[in-house]
């Protein structure tokens, strides 16, 4: 059984993950408008991953006999100045999500909820990867100054990303 405090924090995270999905879908549309299909594809996979993260939390709350509460999802940004600004926003967002996950871990410790703590460890590792991926692409964009042939080469590379469903991978 989840404590009320743990249940509320997990429900907040369901909403945060769905917001992440919305944010990346909005970024995907931005890149489509900029004629960068590889970046749009990468963002679309990011959207699918975040939706799966939300479902992992949703399923977990249900599994523990909690009340999964779906809340209104905040409207994401629609425009960015350029691709470097988009990836700066991605990295900043993922750093914020890492802080949210860390806070959930803190609550699970305070609540002595070992099962939730165990579940969260997958997300702790996932956030290391999320930040590393965003940071790598951001740095590569900076190398090519977000334009020209370098940008098109990066776009082709990002087109090759394959979706691995966290719902079938996690824990
Ligand atoms: Fe669900 Fe990008 O962390």
């Amino acid at each position: 059984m989840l404590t009320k405090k743990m249940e509320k924090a997990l429900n907040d995270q369901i909403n945060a993950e769905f917001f992440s999905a919305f944010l990346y879908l909005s970024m995907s549309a931005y890149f489509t408008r900029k004629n960068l299909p590889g970046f749009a594809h990468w963002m679309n996979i990011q959207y699918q991953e975040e939706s799966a993260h939300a479902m992992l939390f949703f399923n977990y709350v249900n599994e523990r006999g909690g009340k999964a509460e779906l809340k209104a999802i905040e409207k994401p940004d629609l425009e960015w100045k350029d691709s470097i600004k988009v990836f700066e926003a991605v990295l900043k967002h993922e750093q914020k999500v890492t802080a949210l996950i860390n806070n959930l871990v803190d609550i699970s410790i305070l609540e002595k909820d070992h099962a939730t703590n165990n579940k969260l460890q997958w997300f702790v590792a996932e956030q290391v990867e999320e930040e590393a991926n965003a940071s790598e692409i951001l740095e590569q964009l900076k190398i090519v100054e977000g334009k020209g042939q370098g940008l098109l080469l990066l776009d082709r590379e990002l087109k090759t990303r394959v979706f691995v469903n966290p719902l079938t991978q996690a824990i």
Side-chain angles (χ1 to χ4, degrees):
M1 193 72 183
L2 294 168
T3 64
K4 282 292 153 202
K5 188 170 180 180
M6 196 74 253
E7 182 185 79
K8 186 192 175 303
L10 290 168
N11 276 326
D12 287 346
Q13 194 63 29
I14 294 173
N15 186 266
E17 299 290 348
F18 275 130
F19 172 74
S20 299
F22 264 36
L23 176 64
Y24 294 132
L25 195 57
S26 187
M27 288 172 170
S28 178
Y30 166 86
F31 282 120
T32 298
R33 293 195 298 277
K34 297 292 171 190
N35 299 305
L36 291 166
F39 279 89
H41 170 78
W42 192 93
M43 286 296 178
N44 197 284
I45 289 183
Q46 200 68 10
Y47 154 73
Q48 293 178 68
E49 269 198 5
E50 299 300 351
S51 301
H53 291 170
M55 289 310 297
L56 283 170
F57 280 110
F58 176 84
N59 292 343
Y60 180 71
V61 171
N62 285 331
E63 196 182 346
R64 294 291 307 281
K67 188 188 279 183
E69 186 183 357
L70 298 174
K71 302 169 197 189
I73 301 165
E74 193 188 327
K75 183 180 182 293
D77 285 344
L78 197 59
E79 290 293 346
W80 293 266
K81 188 170 153 270
D82 53 34
S83 44
I84 290 179
K85 287 287 174 209
V86 177
F87 271 86
E88 279 175 355
V90 172
L91 181 58
K92 196 171 159 204
H93 181 69
E94 287 303 332
Q95 287 166 342
K96 189 176 145 194
V97 174
T98 299
L100 292 176
I101 297 290
N102 287 344
N103 186 50
L104 282 171
V105 173
D106 288 347
I107 295 171
S108 74
I109 291 167
L110 283 171
E111 301 292 297
K112 297 186 169 42
D113 186 342
H114 299 287
T116 300
N117 186 283
N118 183 51
K119 191 80 180 175
L120 288 168
Q121 294 310 313
W122 183 87
F123 286 93
V124 171
E126 173 71 4
Q127 281 313 118
V128 173
E129 204 182 301
E130 291 274 58
E131 286 192 34
N133 289 342
S135 179
E136 184 181 295
I137 297 169
L138 174 60
E139 292 310 313
Q140 288 179 351
L141 275 169
K142 284 182 185 169
I143 290 168
V144 300
E145 296 172 346
K147 59 189 180 201
Q149 233 176 1
L151 181 64
L152 292 180
L153 277 173
L154 204 46
D155 189 61
R156 276 194 206 160
E157 193 191 315
L158 296 186
K159 189 87 196 316
T160 62
R161 185 179 182 189
V162 176
F163 177 54
V164 180
N165 192 342
L167 279 167
T168 53
Q169 292 279 311
I171 310 178

